[in-house]
Amino acid sequence: MVTGTTSVPRLVIAAPSSGSGKTTVATGLMAAFAASGLAVSPHKVGPDYIDPGYHALATGRPGRNLDAYLCGPQALPGLFGHGARGADLAVVEGVMGLYDGAAHQGELASTAQVAKVLRAPVVLVVDAASQSRSVAALVHGFASWDPEVRVAGVILNKVGSDRHEELLREALAGSGVPVFGALRRVGAVHTPSRHLGLVPVAERHAEAVESVAALADRVRAGCDLPGLLELARSAPPLPGPAWDPAHSLREARSAYAGHAAEPDAEPGTGPESGAGRGARPVVAVAGGSAFTFSYAEHAELLTAAGADVVPFDPLRETRLPEGTRGLVIGGGFPEVYAAELSANEPLRAAVAALAASGAPIAAECAGLLYLARSLTPEPDTEVGTRTAPLPMCGVLPADARMSGRLTLGYREAVALSPSPLLPVGARVRGHEFHRTVITPGAGEGPDGPGDGAGGGPAALPAWGVVRPTRQVEGFVRGGVHASYLHVHWAATPGIAASFVRSCAR
């Protein structure tokens, strides 16, 4: 039995609601503590991909997600321990309001639940712009709502003046919840956004560096950093071992025993993991500005399963990495870079050829759009005209376009067709987050239309979504699995094992 504990000091940065300043404070704290010489481990509650990019920039360590819906509450201490290994301090940014979680499922996936699972003190960021004495009632309500949640401090945001700060501190003096800082209501640090939130770090690196430095300066000037560090050190040890990708793959091998997708060797011991770089199958992972959404654990699982993971940028590179045997294309903003992606005809042809060879390709959301026949990008708002469809890789018999409607939320789904990822009947939890639509929305089976050129295997449906509403979604075609659904592989590590095994065939 694997045992152990995690004793990293930690804080959860939460708020009464979205828009209160969690990202400002959390990122600023991460950067300020890192600049003081501490090794800071950054974490984000929920499935969001964008904030962790800023966290990584602030700390120099991968931003990691803690999502109780996608991975299960029981997995979070281990995942936290894995990410925080060797750190002096961990800062966890919450999601939405402190007690907000998955719809109709109680506390599941809320910041409060994660704080309880991690046994971490919570610092509440309060937007104080339009209140004074009432702040005490608000903080009291949040601190007393769930006795198992330790609301141990407050940071006041958008404070108007010295007099305003004095009134707020006076109101909170008898609350039993100390004030660890007050940030003035000044011009916002420049963090541009678009239709899915902040613009990712990869698209504005130089500006992002300046933004994070400015956040650190604000937090350093307005917050009691020594007091917050002392509070973080009050968190008790977390029982249980840190998550380990190789160990999780061994457990997955047992869970998949008897299934078609069962890995046929121990992690790191199969023929695909022999000595030397050339003996390991190369798995190309799309990155760059167009494909910025990925969980760090995915590459770690692929590596532990025996793959040689090689990132590449579809906006800049005209060929796949040398020796590519499998391809992973995560989420991002291909609609913003549709013209550049379409213009890179050599790479589109290489991706299509890889798919035609039967090699495994795993595509989520942005990857789904890139594999379609065409993508109609967002309209030109300056002249009010919509651009024409642009050719993509043509791997899937479907066409994508921007939509004015946001599709957002958790999903439960069942694998409907055999693929390099999962056996038929495997259940997963995932997340959708996009403003695009694809037509048709799923493979239509062996009797459906072909690819328009009379060749290639039939496109089969990938998922049967069972919650919140029933629908068929995504495509399986040969070795290709493409869907809007974002899945966290740490919850289903057999995906990585099966994918790498398919690469080695």
Side-chain angles (χ1 to χ4, degrees), residues 102-152:
H104 311 300
Q105 299 195 55
E107 72 172 7
L108 180 61
S110 67
T111 303
Q113 183 186 38
V114 173
K116 289 194 288 187
V117 167
L118 296 184
R119 302 183 181 184
V122 174
V123 176
L124 198 68
V125 178
V126 176
D127 180 349
S130 301
Q131 57 184 315
S132 58
R133 190 164 178 263
S134 295
V135 72
L138 185 151
V139 170
H140 172 75
F142 274 83
S144 60
W145 177 259
D146 185 342
E148 295 182 39
V149 177
R150 181 187 169 203
V151 177

Side-chain angles (χ1 to χ4, degrees), residues 6-11 80 84 87-91 229 231-235:
T6 298
S7 300
V8 177
R10 54 199 178 274
L11 295 171
F80 171 82
D88 302 310
L89 171 68
V91 178
L229 184 58
L231 176 62
R233 288 171 174 161
S234 72

Side-chain angles (χ1 to χ4, degrees), residues 292-396:
T292 55
F293 294 3
S294 179
Y295 297 126
E297 292 81 4
H298 290 194
E300 292 168 346
L301 282 164
L302 288 168
T303 300
D308 190 357
V309 177
V310 181
F312 75 105
D313 186 349
L315 292 177
R316 299 178 180 275
E317 299 175 50
T318 58
R319 62 180 64 185
L320 292 168
E322 186 69 27
T324 293
R325 300 286 296 276
L327 173 61
V328 176
I329 317 174
F333 293 97
E335 61 271 24
V336 176
Y337 297 95
E340 294 93 328
L341 291 170
S342 184
N344 192 347
E345 294 183 27
L347 183 62
R348 290 196 288 114
V351 171
L354 185 71
S357 75
I361 298 178
E364 291 183 346
C365 202
L368 168 69
L369 308 185
Y370 186 52
L371 296 183
R373 278 185 305 233
S374 69
L375 172 59
T376 302
E378 54 188 345
D380 185 335
T381 55
E382 292 184 3
V383 297
T385 59
R386 185 177 296 276
T387 56
L390 296 172
M392 292 290 119
C393 295
V395 171
L396 303 174

Side-chain angles (χ1 to χ4, degrees), residues 171-504:
L172 288 165
S175 69
V177 182
V179 177
F180 282 97
L183 303 181
R184 291 305 166 90
R185 187 167 58 222
V186 297
V189 175
H190 184 54
T191 50
S193 62
R194 64 161 69 104
H195 51 275
L196 295 183
L198 295 178
V199 174
V201 164
E203 299 184 47
R204 53 180 301 265
H205 189 270
E207 292 176 284
V209 169
E210 294 179 3
S211 296
V212 168
L215 292 177
D217 289 342
R218 285 187 64 188
V219 167
R220 190 182 298 110
C223 293
D224 176 8
L225 295 185
L228 287 165
L229 184 58
E230 183 180 356
L231 176 62
R233 288 171 174 161
S234 72
L238 276 178
W243 179 82
D244 177 75
H247 179 71
S248 71
L249 287 168
R250 284 191 289 270
E251 291 186 330
R253 185 169 182 265
S254 298
Y256 276 89
H259 287 293
E262 177 192 357
D264 53 7
E266 289 290 314
T269 64
E272 67 273 19
S273 58
R277 177 183 176 97
R280 297 167 65 93
V282 172
V283 174
V285 177
S289 297
F291 300 100
T292 55
F293 294 3
S294 179
Y295 297 126
E297 292 81 4
H298 290 194
E300 292 168 346
L301 282 164
L302 288 168
T303 300
D308 190 357
V309 177
V310 181
F312 75 105
D313 186 349
L315 292 177
R316 299 178 180 275
E317 299 175 50
T318 58
R319 62 180 64 185
L320 292 168
E322 186 69 27
T324 293
R325 300 286 296 276
L327 173 61
V328 176
I329 317 174
F333 293 97
E335 61 271 24
V336 176
Y337 297 95
E340 294 93 328
L341 291 170
S342 184
N344 192 347
E345 294 183 27
L347 183 62
R348 290 196 288 114
V351 171
L354 185 71
S357 75
I361 298 178
E364 291 183 346
C365 202
L368 168 69
L369 308 185
Y370 186 52
L371 296 183
R373 278 185 305 233
S374 69
L375 172 59
T376 302
E378 54 188 345
D380 185 335
T381 55
E382 292 184 3
V383 297
T385 59
R386 185 177 296 276
T387 56
L390 296 172
M392 292 290 119
C393 295
V395 171
L396 303 174
D399 299 282
R401 61 178 175 81
M402 280 295 294
S403 166
R405 176 175 173 270
L406 174 64
T407 299
L408 170 68
Y410 288 120
R411 307 285 188 262
E412 290 187 29
V414 178
L416 295 182
S417 304
S419 78
L421 302 189
L422 289 166
V424 174
R427 299 180 72 92
V428 300
R429 286 184 165 187
H431 184 261
E432 280 192 65
F433 187 37
H434 57 91
R435 286 188 183 272
T436 60
V437 294
I438 191 163
T439 306
E444 299 180 355
D447 298 325
D451 64 359
L460 307 174
W463 302 115
V465 178
V466 297
R467 183 181 289 187
T469 58
R470 290 185 174 271
Q471 67 180 60
V472 177
E473 196 272 336
F475 301 80
V476 172
R477 191 175 200 199
V480 176
H481 188 288
S483 163
Y484 271 124
L485 205 63
H486 294 286
V487 177
H488 200 304
W489 291 8
T492 316
I495 290 175
S498 179
F499 188 89
V500 173
R501 183 174 67 133
S502 297
C503 292

